Amino acid sequence: GLATLHLAITGMHCAACSARIERVLRAADGVTEATVNLAAETATILYDPGLARPSQLMDLVRDAGFGAQAAS
Ligand code: 9UX
């Protein structure tokens, strides 16, 4: 089944930042849905654990220029 990953994201300053992160995450293999909340500085990602790993998804956010930490 699918799993949910919650991230704390740092470095976002406008809605284009959150939209960019959503786009990067939604394009990743195994990701079904990704929602980034600019005000809360969080991301919620629905993914297939057989196709994606949390560490890979966090690296995508970091490669886009933001900070990412696993959160509950
Ligand atoms: Mo908004 Mo974000 O002008 O990297 S796109 S601050």
Side-chain angles (χ1 to χ4, degrees):
L2 297 177
T4 302
L5 175 65
H6 295 282
L7 298 180
I9 295 181
T10 56
M12 296 190 293
H13 300 294
C14 79
C17 294
S18 48
R20 207 161 88 226
I21 296 169
E22 285 183 345
R23 191 165 60 244
V24 164
L25 288 170
R26 288 171 182 173
D29 270 357
V31 171
T32 298
E33 181 58 295
T35 303
V36 176
N37 186 314
L38 172 64
E41 296 191 290
T42 59
T44 301
I45 304 156
L46 193 63
Y47 70 101
D48 181 340
L51 294 175
R53 291 183 176 280
S55 60
Q56 297 172 323
L57 299 175
M58 288 188 281
D59 280 345
L60 289 176
V61 176
R62 292 169 183 148
D63 289 348
F66 302 91
Q69 291 292 331
S72 55

